Amino acid sequence: MAKKRPQAKGKPQSKSAVEGEVPVVGAREPCPCGSGRRYKACHGRAAAQAVTELVQRPFEGLAGERDLVALRELVPAATAVLQLKEKPADVPSVTLATVLPMAWPALRREDGSVLLGLQNDTASGDLSRDLADTLQRALTVAPGTPVEARRAPAEGPRLQDLLDPEAEFAPEVHTGFEFWVPDSESASPEVAASLERANEAAIPTERLTQVDAAYWCETPEKNHLRWVMPHAEEELLDALARLHAAGISGLGEGTRLVGSFRAHGLTVPVWDLPRGMSAADTEKPAAAFAERLADALARTEPLTGEERRARGGLTNRQVTLS
């Protein structure tokens, strides 16, 4: 039987503990704080709790929360420039991207600029903390280096701590992933192959301009509009049910409200559109629907029987993405 590791009494705290930062180590290793206990029984408790606790709205409080949800779950190829509270002088720019080549969490380009991937698996229940950890590491790695995935420290910062809250969040939707490399001809064979696969799988998508956080997409059989809403789920479902029961929940002839997604604490209604209905064709109907929805949200009387049935149908057609 293995002997227990002797614990020295009065052992001085490590530099990390003095500075208030305890590195993440293996669960059975001695805690870096110098307590003499294993990490899992000391500072690892907070780390374990952070892994299991799910933050329902990881982007809450950030400018563009609704677009961030869309870029995370719905949009194949898009970028958005991020403005940091403090940016190193040797980092020209920081850009959020839906996907990066080789599924890298982040990449620091040869010119020092940073690309941060959004659609990656994360180790904890707080997507914002995981992204902030990746971003911080990307700011300091050598140019031309991708950032590997890891478990973020439980007490690390979140995106809300790093991004300028006053800066505009303006996503740009792309037809493909050529934004990965300034010159695709000079890309490595691995990146070039990843670029080709990603472009083949990308669904044509456009962001509407007359309403916020609404994304049109084209599929082989029909088109869709997926619109990330800011309203509380219960109130939104009531309002949608009122419109659905009244026969005015669509976006014009041949369109139909078919259900909704739940994603990162927000609700995303989804419409089926005719195959020939473009993003431009959807702009005015979406703006008109926004007015009808605002009126429905303002109503406070109980739902009628028909409206309750409509609400039940909408609830049954909800799909949770996160």
Side-chain angles (χ1 to χ4, degrees):
M1 188 168 92
K3 293 182 180 180
K4 292 184 178 179
R5 184 188 303 271
Q7 298 179 3
K9 295 183 179 180
K11 184 178 180 180
Q13 287 187 323
S14 67
K15 180 180 178 181
S16 294
V18 172
E19 293 177 350
E21 299 178 359
V22 178
V24 176
V25 297
R28 303 179 71 84
E29 295 182 41
C31 187
C33 76
S35 67
R37 292 179 290 174
R38 289 178 175 176
Y39 179 69
K40 69 176 183 179
C42 192
H43 282 83
R45 287 179 175 176
Q49 185 178 22
V51 169
T52 57
E53 287 188 355
L54 177 64
V55 176
Q56 296 291 339
R57 286 182 64 180
F59 303 127
E60 186 174 14
L62 288 172
E65 177 190 11
R66 296 159 61 191
D67 285 301
L68 281 164
V69 170
L71 267 57
R72 165 72 182 186
E73 301 294 341
L74 307 172
V75 181
T79 57
V81 175
L82 297 181
Q83 300 294 336
L84 276 59
K85 293 178 181 178
E86 298 181 6
K87 181 172 64 65
D90 61 344
V91 177
S93 63
V94 178
T95 302
L96 184 74
T98 49
V99 180
L100 294 181
M102 318 298 291
W104 288 326
L107 168 68
R108 190 168 184 199
R109 287 172 161 166
E110 294 289 351
D111 66 356
S113 61
V114 167
L115 288 176
L116 176 65
L118 184 57
Q119 295 180 12
N120 289 303
D121 292 335
T122 55
S124 82
D126 187 351
L127 177 58
S128 178
R129 195 180 307 281
D130 290 328
L131 288 168
D133 176 67
T134 301
L135 173 56
Q136 282 193 313
R137 289 185 288 133
L139 295 173
T140 59
V141 299
T145 306
V147 175
E148 301 297 329
R150 77 168 189 182
R151 187 179 69 190
E155 302 303 323
R158 309 178 73 238
L159 282 181
Q160 287 83 344
D161 301 316
L162 303 182
L163 301 185
D164 181 355
E166 304 299 325
E168 180 185 9
F169 185 82
E172 179 182 357
V173 179
H174 303 277
T175 57
F177 296 88
E178 282 72 20
F179 62 85
W180 282 354
V181 287
D183 180 9
S184 59
E185 294 182 357
S186 63
S188 68
E190 294 83 1
V191 171
S194 184
L195 175 62
E196 183 177 358
R197 290 193 300 270
N199 281 342
E200 289 176 353
I203 296 174
T205 301
E206 295 184 37
R207 183 176 184 266
L208 300 193
T209 60
Q210 294 193 26
V211 295
D212 293 331
Y215 290 81
W216 170 96
C217 68
E218 179 183 21
T219 63
E221 295 183 358
K222 62 185 68 175
N223 299 341
H224 305 279
L225 182 70
R226 301 177 291 190
W227 191 343
V228 185
M229 298 284 186
H231 317 290
E233 180 178 330
E234 296 303 313
E235 287 79 1
L236 177 59
L237 288 174
D238 281 352
L240 292 175
R242 295 184 194 279
L243 298 177
H244 205 59
I248 52 174
S249 63
L251 301 175
E253 184 178 355
T255 70
R256 186 166 68 99
L257 174 64
V258 293
S260 62
F261 296 128
R262 290 192 188 97
H264 304 290
L266 298 181
T267 304
V268 188
V270 178
W271 285 263
D272 280 351
L273 310 175
R275 185 67 176 81
M277 189 171 181
S278 67
D281 297 332
T282 312
E283 293 279 8
K284 288 185 178 179
F289 177 85
E291 296 180 0
R292 298 197 299 274
L293 179 63
D295 292 339
L297 285 164
R299 294 171 58 181
T300 58
E301 73 273 17
L303 297 180
T304 66
E306 187 176 359
E307 290 168 345
R308 286 196 301 272
R309 287 189 291 275
R311 192 187 194 282
L314 291 172
T315 302
N316 290 336
R317 296 193 295 275
Q318 281 188 307
V319 177
T320 300
L321 300 180
S322 61

